[in-house]
Amino acid sequence: MKSSRRFFATAFTLAVAGVLLSTATATQAQVWPNRPIKLVVPYAAGGPDDALARQLATKMQLSLGQSVVVDNRAGAGGAIGVEATVKAAPDGYTLALVATGPLAGMPNLTKTSYSLDDIQFLTLAAKIPSVVIANSKSGLDSISALLTKAKGQPGKLNYSSAGPGTTPHIGMEILKSQANISLLHIPYRGAAPAITALLGGEVELSMVDLLPALPHIKSGAFKALAIAGTSRSPLLPDVPTTAEAGLPGVTMETTYGLIAPKDLAPAIANQIRDAAIAAVNSSEVKQWLQQQGAIPGTSTAAEYQQAMKAESEKWKGIILKANITLN
């Protein structure tokens, strides 16, 4: 009899403990977030990625009722920040705002510790089209003029990039491939020196995000040949798209989106996504993005994942064809 009593007492104690543990776990999930959320930016402070992250963080924390703190983790073309995010605990307290390069580019250029399958995609936030630009003294005033000169003088025209495997490099290699022309690549250590080289006449061409080129286009130092996007830019309404200029396959847009660790609980992922979408759709953030030459745009998690897989395949093809390596 005593043995039976001890058995039932033990069983009852374990059952109560299980209920308490289950209740505690549920309560913990319900009170998320109960501490600051870290928003990783895989680039240095002061750049366009960092600026966008701070815009989103300010709005998201209003929806989530908790501070969202930007954490800059620069290095390895953005791979360090993505790796830190992917390997973080999937508890909803570590997110990242990431551009296209670390997702579509770096895994195809070098051995990274992550793949697209290791990432929880949340939503797209914005995209910034690249613009094909020429030094105004080069005499190149259109895509057709560029193609004519390049075909008449193969390998003579050169272009600057922010370094091997960067968006400007991949974009120009896509243009070369689609137009069947030969151009000489001159890599620099970053976007700023690449633009400075074009200003100084060290190179004739480049393909860069619209915003840093805009002041020089407005001043007349650069000639905008085409927008490498799916639509014209409101900031340069008279500049045709590459498709309108006869190169429909030449698109290069820097796409920004929010990612998290793979095993993040769906309920928390949905809360974060809803907060991010509300932030992007706010009048303040929309206006700010448009002033930067960016196009606001959100998505489902699946749409974001599919977009990055398509970009990865595109980058992979160009990287292999052009034999691009990180030296």
Side-chain angles (χ1 to χ4, degrees):
M1 181 66 70
K2 288 183 179 179
S3 176
S4 297
R5 287 175 181 174
R6 282 197 297 270
F7 172 79
F8 285 114
T10 301
F12 177 76
T13 300
L14 291 173
V16 170
V19 170
L20 290 175
L21 179 60
S22 175
T23 303
T25 302
T27 301
Q28 184 180 22
Q30 288 171 2
V31 299
W32 179 92
N34 56 22
R35 56 187 169 88
I37 298 164
K38 181 165 58 179
L39 179 57
V40 174
V41 175
Y43 313 98
D49 320 81
D50 178 69
L52 174 55
R54 294 178 191 279
Q55 289 284 331
L56 294 178
T58 299
K59 288 294 182 182
M60 287 177 66
Q61 62 192 15
L62 297 178
S63 299
L64 297 172
Q66 188 58 255
S67 298
V68 179
V69 182
V70 173
D71 180 16
N72 298 94
R73 297 282 191 96
I80 289 176
V82 173
E83 179 180 333
T85 303
V86 169
K87 292 188 174 182
D91 54 12
Y93 292 101
T94 303
L95 321 170
L97 177 74
V98 189
T100 313
L103 302 179
M106 292 307 296
N108 288 314
L109 284 162
T110 187
K111 187 176 181 180
T112 57
S113 63
Y114 61 87
S115 71
L116 296 186
D117 293 330
D118 300 319
I119 295 168
Q120 169 69 270
F121 292 88
L122 298 174
T123 178
L124 290 168
K127 60 182 179 181
I128 300 179
S130 295
V131 58
V132 183
I133 49 177
N135 183 296
S136 293
K137 296 178 181 178
S138 68
L140 301 173
D141 59 2
S142 66
I143 289 292
S144 61
L146 163 61
L147 300 186
T148 298
K149 189 169 183 177
K151 289 178 179 178
Q153 303 176 37
K156 295 294 183 181
L157 288 176
N158 53 32
Y159 72 92
S160 64
S161 83
T166 59
T167 300
H169 184 197
I170 298 297
M172 288 300 286
E173 289 298 326
I174 292 174
L175 189 152
K176 284 171 54 180
S177 177
Q178 292 289 316
N180 194 27
I181 58 174
S182 175
L183 301 171
L184 179 63
H185 175 219
I186 309 294
Y188 290 83
R189 292 182 179 274
I195 288 177
T196 300
L198 185 60
L199 278 171
E202 295 176 29
V203 295
E204 289 90 4
L205 299 161
S206 194
M207 184 189 292
V208 298
D209 282 354
L210 177 57
L211 187 62
L214 193 60
H216 306 297
I217 295 170
K218 297 291 187 182
S219 73
F222 292 165
K223 176 65 179 179
L225 307 186
I227 298 293
T230 53
S231 60
R232 293 195 182 199
S233 170
L235 300 181
L236 293 173
D238 296 329
V239 178
T241 65
T242 43
E244 292 173 325
L247 295 173
V250 181
T251 57
M252 181 52 67
E253 298 170 316
T254 300
T255 302
Y256 295 97
L258 286 171
I259 65 169
K262 177 70 174 179
D263 295 326
L264 179 63
I268 295 176
N270 289 336
Q271 288 186 63
I272 295 170
R273 180 174 175 271
D274 289 345
I277 289 174
V280 172
N281 289 333
S282 68
S283 58
E284 297 90 346
V285 174
K286 269 190 174 180
Q287 183 179 18
W288 182 85
L289 284 167
Q290 290 163 354
Q291 290 171 345
Q292 311 308 306
I295 302 169
T298 59
S299 70
T300 66
E303 287 169 343
Y304 184 14
Q305 183 180 42
Q306 289 165 7
M308 288 303 98
K309 286 189 173 181
E311 280 296 296
S312 179
E313 286 302 309
K314 181 172 79 172
W315 283 52
K316 181 179 180 179
I318 290 296
I319 288 167
L320 291 174
K321 182 175 182 178
N323 193 28
I324 298 171
T325 58
L326 297 178
N327 296 323

